[in-house]
Amino acid sequence: MESLVVKKVQRVAAESESAEVTLASSVAELVAFCFPCDLVEGQVIPNMLHGMTQEAQAAYLNDWPDDLKASASVERLERVGTFGYVGCGKVLDQQSGMVEVLGFKLQLENLSCNGVVEFKCTRIDI
C-alpha cells in the first residue's frame, strides 16, 4: 500500500490537539483533519483516510455511451471549505466503502455502488 507524506501540520489553535494536516500522495495533495495530532512534517503515514460522506453516487449509468462514461470517470478532488472535498474516484471495495482518488485511499460511509463514484465529504480525517 502506498504511503502518504505529511507536508505541513498547522494547529487549529495554539494549544489545540487538533490540526490541519497537508498530505501528499504520489499524485496530489489534500488537507485533512487530525485529532489528536502528533504528526510532524516529513513523517510517512499509512494511506488510509476517512471521509465524512455527505453524498456518494455512481458517476454514470450503465447505458451511457462510452465517451460520456470516460469523461464522467476522470479522477478529481476539489477542496470546498476548510476540510470538505468533492471528487470522483474508483471504488476499490464497496462493502468497506474504500475509494481511491488521485493516490489517496478514502473510506466513505454508505457507499451503494461499484465502479466510479462521485462524492462529497464534509471533512476528511486522518
Side-chain angles (χ1 to χ4, degrees), residues 65-76:
D66 289 342
D67 60 331
L68 288 179
K69 287 181 183 180
S71 65
S73 299
V74 174
E75 281 187 90
R76 61 188 177 280

Side-chain angles (χ1 to χ4, degrees), residues 68-108:
L68 288 179
K69 287 181 183 180
S71 65
S73 299
V74 174
E75 281 187 90
R76 61 188 177 280
L77 194 57
E78 180 184 338
R79 190 172 178 186
V80 289
T82 306
F83 297 109
Y85 282 87
V86 294
C88 183
K90 181 181 178 188
V91 176
L92 299 176
D93 181 7
Q94 179 185 354
Q95 189 171 9
S96 69
M98 192 60 55
V99 172
E100 184 171 24
V101 57
L102 298 177
F104 295 101
K105 289 189 170 68
L106 304 175
Q107 185 175 26
L108 303 180

Side-chain angles (χ1 to χ4, degrees), residues 21-85:
V21 179
T22 303
L23 299 170
S25 72
S26 60
V27 181
E29 291 186 357
L30 67 70
V31 176
F33 179 78
C34 184
F35 175 84
C37 187
D38 59 357
L39 300 174
V40 295
E41 291 179 16
Q43 185 174 349
V44 176
I45 65 169
N47 190 355
M48 179 65 67
L49 304 172
H50 178 76
M52 296 179 74
T53 314
Q54 189 172 10
E55 298 174 20
Q57 63 187 22
Y60 54 82
L61 299 176
N62 288 332
D63 61 351
W64 286 18
D66 289 342
D67 60 331
L68 288 179
K69 287 181 183 180
S71 65
S73 299
V74 174
E75 281 187 90
R76 61 188 177 280
L77 194 57
E78 180 184 338
R79 190 172 178 186
V80 289
T82 306
F83 297 109
Y85 282 87

